[in-house]
């Protein structure tokens, strides 16, 4: 009996414990996973033997991120990493990315997602270095990078041919040249964030509309420079689901009527689009019958007429509606709102 018990324990240690370890470890944050490696040689060997655990490197908000990244990419377990996040990490610059290019080139050949959000010390030079190592890159994000210029985007499109998700939010030096590069090289682009890219104009945005017809998500928050002219060709975006136009002060009902032709819209943010009236919102209501989220925050030119139109066409889909600051729309009780929109979970109305 004692021998049988020892055999069962051996089986438990060799088969069951590793399986449990694998299941548990997939649910751990990467930092906790790395801490586990230090507990014992056996745990170290077990975890290292699962390649799927080492497909991402998360250095978000960490100090010495440049040195940490170089050290990680030098380890065999990260030879097929697919995701790297350096969002708001500290102490990483162009020099680190050039070292990675020279010493860790092979480790990035399978990389699909690179997040450089808030990495203020990275310029076009660093973008050129790191993207030259990532031929399979699909997602690239450089939110709030004030050093990146059109030259950096030129390097990106040269080195990475399969991009489907781009975040240029806050990159204030990018111009229509960058939009032209994106339009010419990424016809299968699905998501684009141009928030506060203040140098871009109607002409550049139209190039994206015409050539990136698979776009599903477009964020042009806080860009008052775009006018109705920009939206005349937006109807070609037949797959568009998410559109953020917050602060589009030059958007009028004419432009919104063009946007209404994007019939698959699910989420539309018109916050502070102050020239919009019932006419434009009713056009949206009549065409975009799958709308789930709509913000009309701060628009004084809309009334109950647009709310009634929305109720007729979007009653079964609308879950979030923000009319805070819309003084032409009267206040309603929760029960009255649910009569108009039975699936509404969030409704914001002016005080």
């Amino acid at each position: 009996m004692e021998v049988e018990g020892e055999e069962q324990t051996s089986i438990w240690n060799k088969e069951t414990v590793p399986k449990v370890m694998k299941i548990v470890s997939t649910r751990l944050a990467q930092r906790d996973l790395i801490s586990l490696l230090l507990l014992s040689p056996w745990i170290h060997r077990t975890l290292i033997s699962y390649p799927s655990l080492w497909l991402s490197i998360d250095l978000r908000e960490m100090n010495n991120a440049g040195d940490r990244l170089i050290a990680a990419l030098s380890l065999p377990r990260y030879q097929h990493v697919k995701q790297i996040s350096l969002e708001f990490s500290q102490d990483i610059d162009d020099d680190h990315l050039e070292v990675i290019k020279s010493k860790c080139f092979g480790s990035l050949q399978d990389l699909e997602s690179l997040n450089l959000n808030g990495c203020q010390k990275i310029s076009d030079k660093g973008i050129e270095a790191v993207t030259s190592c990532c031929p399979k890159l699909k997602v690239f994000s450089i939110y709030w990078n004030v050093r990146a210029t059109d030259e950096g985007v030129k390097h990106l499109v040269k080195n990475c041919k399969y991009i489907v998700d781009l975040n240029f939010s806050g990159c204030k030096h990018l111009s229509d040249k960058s939009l032209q590069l994106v339009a010419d090289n990424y016809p299968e682009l699905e998501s684009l964030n141009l928030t506060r890219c203040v140098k871009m104009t109607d002409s550049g945005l139209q190039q994206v509309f015409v050539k990136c017809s698979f776009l599903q998500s477009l964020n042009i928050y806080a860009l008052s420079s775009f006018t109705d002219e920009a939206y005349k060709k937006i109807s070609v975006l037949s797959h568009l689901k998410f559109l953020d136009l917050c602060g589009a002060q030059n958007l009028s009902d004419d432009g919104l009527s063009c946007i209404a032709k994007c019939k698959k819209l699910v989420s539309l943010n018109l916050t502070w689009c102050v020239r919009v009236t019932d006419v434009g919102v009713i056009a949206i209501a009549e065409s975009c019958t799958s709308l789930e989220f709509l913000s009309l925050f701060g628009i004084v030119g809309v009334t109950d007429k647009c709310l009634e139109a929305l109720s007729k066409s979007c009653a079964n889909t609308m879950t979030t509606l923000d009319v805070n600051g819309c003084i032409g729309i009267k206040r309603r009780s929760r029960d009255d709102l649910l009569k108009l929109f039975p699936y509404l979970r969030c409704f914001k109305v002016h005080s």
Side-chain angles (χ1 to χ4, degrees):
M1 292 293 293
E2 185 175 342
V3 173
E4 184 178 339
E6 289 177 356
E7 288 179 353
Q8 290 178 342
T9 300
S10 178
I11 292 174
W12 172 266
N13 288 336
K14 290 181 179 180
E15 298 181 9
T16 307
V17 172
K19 289 179 181 178
V20 172
M21 180 72 71
K22 184 177 182 180
I23 294 171
V24 172
S25 59
T26 57
R27 290 164 171 75
L28 294 177
Q30 189 183 51
R31 297 174 193 185
D32 295 329
L33 190 60
I34 291 173
S35 297
L36 275 180
L37 293 176
L38 306 176
L39 291 180
S40 75
W42 177 82
I43 290 178
H44 186 281
R45 288 194 303 270
T46 301
L47 292 178
I48 293 298
S49 68
Y50 301 130
S52 60
L53 297 178
W54 310 105
L55 297 178
S56 67
I57 297 176
D58 184 2
L59 297 174
R60 287 175 295 176
E61 301 179 2
M62 295 188 69
N63 295 324
N64 301 316
D67 292 339
R68 290 174 186 266
L69 181 60
I70 293 170
L73 291 174
S74 300
L75 298 172
R77 64 174 179 265
Y78 287 119
Q79 292 305 296
H80 299 287
V81 64
K82 291 184 179 295
Q83 298 180 350
I84 294 177
S85 179
L86 294 160
E87 189 168 55
F88 294 107
S89 59
Q90 302 296 315
D91 311 311
I92 182 164
D93 55 33
D94 292 342
D95 291 340
H96 290 105
L97 298 183
E98 292 200 314
V99 170
I100 287 171
K101 178 182 178 180
S102 64
K103 295 186 177 181
C104 311
F105 185 88
S107 299
L108 297 182
Q109 293 297 295
D110 293 324
L111 192 69
E112 295 180 356
S113 176
L114 178 59
N115 185 334
L116 299 177
N117 290 347
C119 296
Q120 296 282 2
K121 295 181 180 180
I122 294 175
S123 70
D124 296 337
K125 184 179 178 182
I127 292 173
E128 178 183 19
V130 72
T131 58
S132 69
C133 310
C134 314
K136 297 181 182 179
L137 198 67
K138 296 179 180 179
V139 180
F140 184 64
S141 185
I142 51 170
Y143 161 76
W144 199 33
N145 186 314
V146 296
R147 294 191 178 191
T149 72
D150 297 327
E151 191 66 22
V153 178
K154 184 177 179 181
H155 296 312
L156 173 68
V157 301
K158 176 185 176 182
N159 295 326
C160 307
K161 305 297 184 182
Y162 305 106
I163 297 290
V164 295
D165 188 327
L166 276 176
N167 185 354
F168 290 150
S169 175
C171 298
K172 64 181 184 179
H173 295 302
L174 301 188
S175 73
D176 285 347
K177 291 181 180 178
S178 287
L179 289 182
Q180 186 69 60
L181 287 165
V182 168
D184 289 341
N185 290 276
Y186 298 135
E188 297 185 4
L189 191 68
E190 296 177 1
S191 179
L192 180 62
N193 190 332
L194 302 176
T195 295
R196 294 192 174 89
C197 293
V198 294
K199 286 189 173 183
M200 295 175 179
T201 71
D202 291 349
S203 176
L205 190 60
Q206 281 193 333
Q207 290 298 312
V208 172
F209 292 163
V210 171
K211 297 183 178 180
C212 301
S213 59
F214 289 94
L215 267 180
Q216 297 181 31
S217 177
L218 178 62
N219 192 323
I220 42 182
Y221 180 102
L223 283 175
S224 58
S225 57
F226 293 139
T227 71
D228 289 340
E229 187 67 26
Y231 304 108
K232 286 183 177 179
K233 297 181 180 178
I234 197 172
S235 62
V236 299
L237 301 183
S238 59
H239 302 281
L240 193 65
K241 295 181 179 180
F242 304 93
L243 180 59
D244 191 336
L245 296 168
C246 176
Q249 297 179 11
N250 287 315
L251 174 69
S252 75
D253 292 332
D254 290 340
L256 200 53
S257 296
C258 294
I259 292 168
K261 296 175 183 177
C262 300
K263 296 184 177 182
K264 290 186 179 180
L265 275 177
V266 172
S267 176
L268 178 60
N269 187 356
L270 297 175
T271 298
W272 293 119
C273 294
V274 293
R275 295 183 61 194
V276 167
T277 72
D278 285 337
V279 174
V281 179
I282 290 173
I284 290 290
E286 292 176 346
S287 295
C288 305
T289 56
S290 298
L291 211 57
E292 298 175 10
F293 173 98
L294 177 65
S295 175
L296 303 174
F297 182 100
I299 304 178
V300 298
V302 294
T303 70
D304 285 335
K305 289 182 180 179
C306 74
L307 212 61
E308 292 166 4
L310 287 165
S311 176
K312 288 178 181 178
S313 58
C314 305
N316 294 325
T317 59
M318 189 73 71
T319 59
T320 302
L321 182 60
D322 188 350
V323 293
N324 193 19
C326 302
I327 58 177
I329 295 179
K330 69 178 183 181
R331 298 188 66 183
R332 288 173 168 80
S333 68
R334 176 176 175 80
D335 288 341
D336 286 339
L337 286 171
L338 289 176
K339 290 177 183 178
L340 293 173
F341 305 101
Y343 297 99
L344 204 62
R345 295 197 300 265
C346 181
F347 183 87
K348 299 179 182 179
V349 67
H350 61 90
S351 303

